[in-house]
Amino acid sequence: MLSSAFRLILLSLSLTSTLAQSDFDWQTLTADTKLNWTSCYSSFQCSLLQVPLDYSAPQSESASIAIVRLPSTAPESEYLGPILFNPGGPGGSGVDAIVQAGGRRYVPAQTLNDSRSYEYYSGGVSYSTPTISFFKTEAERRFLIPSPEIVIYPSLNASSNAVSKTWGDFGLLGQLALQNDAEHHLQHMSTDNIARDMLQITEAFGFEKLQYWGVSYGSVLGATFATLFPEKVGRLMIDGVEDMDSYYTANATNMMVDVNGSLQAFFDGCNKAGPDNCPFYAPSSSQIAAKLDALTSSVKEQPIPVVTPDSHGIVDFTFLRNVIFGSLFAPYDSAVGFVPLAQALAALADGNATVLYDLIPVPTFECQTSPPPFHLNDFESYTAIACGDPISINDTVAQLEEYYLNAAKVSQFSDLVSSSRVLCAGYKIHRPDRFTGPVGAKNTSNPLLLVGNTLDPATARAGAVKTSEAFPGSVVLTQDSVGHTSLVAPSLCSYGYFRAYFVNGTLPAPGTVCPVDTELFPSASGNVTSKRRLPSVEKRLLDAGREISSVMRRVVPRWVL
Ligand SMILES: *[C@@H]1O[C@H](CO)[C@@H](O)[C@H](O)[C@H]1NC(C)=O
Ligand SMILES: *[C@@H]1O[C@H](CO)[C@@H](O)[C@H](O)[C@H]1NC(C)=O
Ligand SMILES: *[C@@H]1O[C@H](CO)[C@@H](O)[C@H](O)[C@H]1NC(C)=O
Ligand SMILES: *[C@@H]1O[C@H](CO)[C@@H](O)[C@H](O)[C@H]1NC(C)=O
Ligand SMILES: *[C@@H]1O[C@H](CO)[C@@H](O)[C@H](O)[C@H]1NC(C)=O
Ligand SMILES: *[C@@H]1O[C@H](CO)[C@@H](O)[C@H](O)[C@H]1NC(C)=O
Ligand SMILES: *[C@@H]1O[C@H](CO)[C@@H](O)[C@H](O)[C@H]1NC(C)=O
Ligand SMILES: *[C@@H]1O[C@H](CO)[C@@H](O)[C@H](O)[C@H]1NC(C)=O
Ligand SMILES: *[C@@H]1O[C@H](CO)[C@@H](O)[C@H](O)[C@H]1NC(C)=O
Ligand SMILES: *[C@@H]1O[C@H](CO)[C@@H](O)[C@H](O)[C@H]1NC(C)=O
C-alpha cells in the first residue's frame, strides 16, 4: 500500500547482508537528496532518495528511500505529475507492488487508464536503508518468525492457553527488537515520518502538492499526511480505510464489524449458486454454516498432517481459520477466493485435506542464511510501524483475553485479528513525540476521496465514513463488493471515478455506489462481462483489474491492525 516511502532502519547492518535479492541490485545506487534515475526492472526507473532519519534533527543521520517509477511518456504540456502509491501493510514493499504488478500491468496506471500523463511511483521497505531487523542472524529470524511468504495469524482460540502463549512469543520478539536497536533507529520508523518522506519525494519531483493513492494501511498514511500537511494535498485517495482511532490505539475492534457479514456472503452466495457452482453447497445458508462449524470442530479435535511433493504441514484449527479468513479478503480470486475455498472445504469434508493445504503456499522449512527474495522485513517493519505508532499497550494476559473476547462479540475472526494487539503489547519502542492522532483537518487544499467496500472484513466501511467526517469536503465512494479494498474486484464504475478525481479533481456525488464487474460464484456456463458488449479499452481495463486483484493478494501483507 505504500508508495511510499518506507523508511529504512538499522544503519548498523551492512547492506550486503540485508538488502533483499531481486532482479535489480539496489546496492549499485547511491542515495542522493536529488532524484537520480537508473533503469531497472525493464520498463521502470529506480532511485534512492536521501531523507533525514530523524526529522527533529535533520542534519544528523539520514535514511534512504527506495523509489521505483513508471515514467510518463506524455509531452510536458500534458504531464500531470507523480502519483505515489502505497500498498498497505504497513510494511508491504511498494517496490514489489509496483514491479510485480508492472511486469503484468501496473496498478494505478491501468485503472486510471492513463500511463502517459502521470508518473507512478512507490517506495519499498524491503530495499531501503537502514533496514530493520530484530535478529542477529537470518537463521534466528527463520527460527523465531514464520517465513515471510506465509501469512498465518496465531489463533487466540487454538487452545485454552493460546493468549498466554502468544503473549510470551510476541513479548520475546519485542525484547529482541529492543536488544538489536542499540542505535535507536526503530523509533523513527513511524507513519508521521513516512508522511514527511512523502512530502520530500513530492518536492524532489519539483511539485508542491502530493498526489497519492493508498490502500489499507496506506489510508492511515494518507490521512496522517492530510492532518500534518493539509495545505499540501493535491489528490489524495484512500481505499480500504481504517478507523484511525482504532489504528492509533491498537484496538482493531471497530474495524472488524463487517467480518460476520463477509462470511455470511460466502454462505449465502454458495447456497444461491447451487451445487454445480458451489461444491460446499447445502439447501440453506445456515446448513452451510453448520457444516463449516462441524468441520472446524473436527479439525480442532483431530488435526490432519499433510505431505505433498513440495511441502508438508498440518491442517489444524489455526490453519483452517486462516484459509477461511484469507478467502474473505480476496473472495473473487481464482486461487484463494470463495470458489476455491468451497472446493477445498468440500474436499476436506470428504477427508482430503491436501486441497485446502495447498491454498496457503507453505515452503518446506530451510534454515537459510541469506534473506529470502521478497518482503524481507514484512513482519518486522509491520511491527515497528503498526506497534510503534499507537499509544503504548501494557496489557496483561488477562486484559488481552478480555479484549479478544469483547471483539469476538462483533467478529467471528477476533481470535486471529486480536493477535495484533498481543504483538503490540510486547513491543516497547515508541518515539515520544510521534503523531498518535486524532486525524482531521478543517480545510485541505483539495478534498479527499475515500473508498469503502460494502463488506470489507479488515477495514469496515464505517472507517471511511468516520474518516470522511474528519475531512470536510471529502466524499466516500462505496464499491458494492466483499473483500479488502476496492482492488479485490474489477469495477469500471469505480475506475471511472478514480480517473475523474485524479485528472479533474471531480468527486462522485455523496452516496454513490459502484457495482463490480465480476461475481463471487460465477456460473460454470456464463460470465458477467460477456453479458455486455464492451469496447476493447474497457475489456483491457477489466483484464487489468483482475490481474491487479491477484497481484495485490500476493504483495500486500494480510496483517492489518
Ligand atoms: C547518478 O547515479 C549514477 C549511478 O548510481 C552515478 O554514476 C551518477 O554519478 C549519479 N549522478 C549524479 C548527478 O549524482
Ligand atoms: C482510455 O484511454 C483512451 C485513450 O486515451 C480513451 O480513448 C478511452 O476512452 C479511455 N477509456 C475509458 C474507459 O475511459
Ligand atoms: C476496543 O474498542 C471497543 C469498541 O470500541 C471497545 O468496546 C473496547 O473497550 C476497546 N478495548 C480497549 C482495551 O480499549
Ligand atoms: C472458539 O472455537 C470454538 C470451536 O472450537 C467455538 O465454539 C467458540 O465459539 C470459539 N470462541 C470464540 C470466542 O470465538
Ligand atoms: C486430494 O484431492 C486432490 C485433488 O482432487 C487429489 O489430487 C489428491 O490425490 C487427493 N488426495 C488424496 C489423499 O486423496
Ligand atoms: C504503558 O507504560 C508506559 C511506560 O511505563 C507508559 O509511558 C504508558 O503511558 C503506558 N501506557 C498506557 C496506555 O497506560
Ligand atoms: C458475529 O458472529 C459471532 C459468532 O457467531 C456472534 O457471537 C456475534 O454476535 C456476531 N456479531 C454480529 C455483530 O453479528
Ligand atoms: C481552504 O483552503 C483553500 C485552498 O488552500 C482556500 O482557497 C480556502 O479559502 C480555504 N477555506 C477556508 C474556509 O479556510
Ligand atoms: C475532465 O473534465 C473535462 C472537461 O469537463 C472532460 O472533458 C473530461 O472528460 C474529464 N476527464 C475525466 C477523466 O473525467
Ligand atoms: C462468456 O459468455 C459468452 C457469451 O455468453 C461466451 O461466448 C464466452 O465463451 C463465455 N466465456 C467464458 C470464459 O465462459
Side-chain angles (χ1 to χ4, degrees):
M1 330 229 143
L2 319 175
S3 144
S4 41
F6 279 35
R7 315 212 98 221
L8 314 166
I9 306 246
L10 297 187
L11 287 168
S12 56
L13 296 179
S14 81
L15 289 180
T16 326
S17 66
T18 57
L19 281 184
Q21 297 151 7
S22 69
D23 299 339
F24 177 67
D25 186 1
W26 284 88
Q27 293 169 64
T28 60
L29 299 187
T30 312
D32 195 350
T33 52
K34 295 196 178 61
L35 292 168
N36 174 11
W37 299 106
T38 303
S39 296
C40 59
Y41 306 105
S42 63
S43 50
F44 294 88
Q45 295 179 343
C46 289
S47 181
L48 276 182
L49 184 69
Q50 187 181 315
V51 297
L53 179 65
D54 176 357
Y55 279 88
S56 69
Q59 303 309 326
S60 59
E61 281 172 281
S62 59
S64 61
I65 309 293
I67 300 174
V68 61
R69 75 165 175 178
L70 186 64
S72 159
T73 54
E76 189 89 357
S77 60
E78 291 167 31
Y79 176 55
L80 294 172
I83 295 177
L84 279 80
F85 178 72
N86 184 303
S93 166
V95 170
D96 293 349
I98 295 309
V99 173
Q100 285 213 12
R104 292 142 188 277
R105 294 191 169 87
Y106 178 60
V107 179
Q110 289 297 322
T111 56
L112 295 178
N113 187 25
D114 186 356
S115 51
R116 290 189 71 220
S117 20
Y118 289 106
E119 284 172 329
Y120 301 91
Y121 64 105
S122 189
V125 172
S126 306
Y127 307 105
S128 304
T129 59
T131 49
I132 57 170
S133 178
F134 297 174
F135 310 103
K136 291 197 169 57
T137 64
E138 197 52 35
E140 192 180 20
R141 172 185 284 115
R142 298 288 283 200
F143 183 68
L144 288 172
I145 60 176
S147 158
E149 298 97 23
I150 316 171
V151 183
I152 297 181
Y153 295 84
S155 168
L156 300 181
N157 191 13
S159 66
S160 56
N161 68 345
V163 175
S164 152
K165 176 172 188 321
T166 308
W167 193 85
D169 290 346
F170 284 162
L172 177 61
L173 294 180
Q175 291 302 307
L176 289 176
L178 209 51
Q179 189 197 44
N180 285 288
D181 186 37
E183 303 196 38
H184 306 294
H185 286 148
L186 280 171
Q187 60 173 332
H188 300 299
M189 184 126 182
S190 57
T191 296
D192 56 351
N193 279 347
I194 300 172
R196 294 179 181 108
D197 293 345
M198 293 210 295
L199 186 57
Q200 299 264 318
I201 295 173
T202 301
E203 289 172 350
F205 269 93
F207 282 75
E208 240 174 68
K209 292 187 168 65
L210 174 75
Q211 303 193 102
Y212 174 76
W213 179 340
V215 299
S216 194
Y217 160 78
S219 69
V220 177
L221 179 53
T224 300
F225 181 93
T227 303
L228 297 177
F229 307 110
E231 73 292 356
K232 300 287 185 186
V233 175
R235 302 280 181 264
L236 201 152
M237 180 170 103
I238 54 180
D239 177 0
V241 181
E242 300 202 3
D243 178 316
M244 303 296 158
D245 300 317
S246 299
Y247 176 82
Y248 280 114
T249 55
N251 180 351
T253 311
N254 286 338
M255 300 204 267
M256 301 183 208
V257 297
D258 285 339
V259 168
N260 285 9
S262 305
L263 185 61
Q264 191 64 39
F266 172 72
F267 300 145
D268 293 345
C270 179
N271 172 254
K272 211 169 129 233
D276 290 344
N277 297 316
C278 181
F280 200 60
Y281 171 84
S284 72
S285 298
S286 54
Q287 281 169 282
I288 300 175
K291 271 189 0 181
L292 183 57
D293 275 350
L295 209 47
T296 307
S297 300
S298 144
V299 165
K300 193 173 192 180
E301 204 172 298
Q302 189 164 305
I304 310 170
V306 174
V307 178
T308 69
D310 312 315
S311 178
H312 50 78
I314 299 164
V315 170
D316 58 8
F317 178 80
T318 299
F319 191 95
L320 174 59
R321 301 273 298 158
N322 272 274
V323 167
I324 300 165
F325 194 46
S327 189
L328 301 184
F329 272 60
Y332 305 89
D333 190 87
S334 61
V336 303
F338 283 179
V339 170
L341 175 67
Q343 285 161 349
L345 293 174
L348 185 63
D350 281 345
N352 182 338
T354 311
V355 184
L356 189 113
Y357 181 73
D358 281 339
L359 290 188
I360 298 185
V362 182
T364 304
F365 180 81
E366 280 175 50
C367 194
Q368 297 184 348
T369 49
S370 61
F374 283 124
H375 308 311
L376 168 65
N377 292 322
D378 263 14
F379 184 82
E380 287 144 278
S381 47
Y382 169 85
T383 307
I385 300 171
C387 295
D389 275 342
I391 56 167
S392 61
I393 305 300
N394 307 316
D395 292 6
T396 61
V397 170
Q399 286 168 318
L400 290 165
E401 185 94 38
E402 189 190 333
Y403 165 80
Y404 143 61
L405 291 174
N406 183 52
K409 289 184 201 150
V410 303
S411 161
Q412 297 196 38
F413 285 87
S414 163
D415 60 320
L416 302 189
V417 179
S418 296
S419 59
S420 60
R421 187 178 174 96
V422 184
L423 179 66
C424 291
Y427 189 78
K428 299 298 171 197
I429 301 172
H430 305 277
R431 200 179 76 248
D433 67 350
R434 74 199 177 283
F435 178 83
T436 57
V439 305
K442 285 205 191 68
N443 189 16
T444 49
S445 45
N446 285 287
L448 276 58
L449 174 58
L450 299 91
V451 187
N453 286 356
T454 38
L455 288 173
D456 185 323
T459 51
R461 186 177 161 281
V465 173
K466 184 173 160 189
T467 304
S468 178
E469 282 161 9
F471 292 99
S474 65
V475 167
V476 177
L477 171 67
T478 302
Q479 178 169 294
D480 189 12
S481 58
V482 188
H484 182 39
T485 85
S486 75
L487 293 175
V488 296
S491 165
L492 290 176
C493 171
S494 296
Y495 299 165
Y497 287 112
F498 298 172
R499 275 197 303 281
Y501 176 69
F502 275 100
V503 175
N504 287 344
T506 312
L507 290 166
T512 301
V513 180
C514 273
V516 294
D517 299 289
T518 183
E519 288 171 327
L520 288 172
F521 288 94
S523 89
S525 56
N527 51 63
V528 174
T529 48
S530 65
K531 289 179 195 140
R532 293 187 282 135
R533 295 176 61 89
L534 288 172
S536 62
V537 171
E538 303 207 340
K539 276 213 181 71
R540 181 173 60 73
L541 271 172
L542 279 182
D543 287 346
R546 284 189 200 98
E547 287 196 48
I548 286 161
S549 315
S550 86
V551 168
M552 292 305 286
R553 173 177 61 75
R554 291 199 306 273
V555 301
V556 174
R558 212 148 17 76
W559 283 86
V560 286
L561 188 71

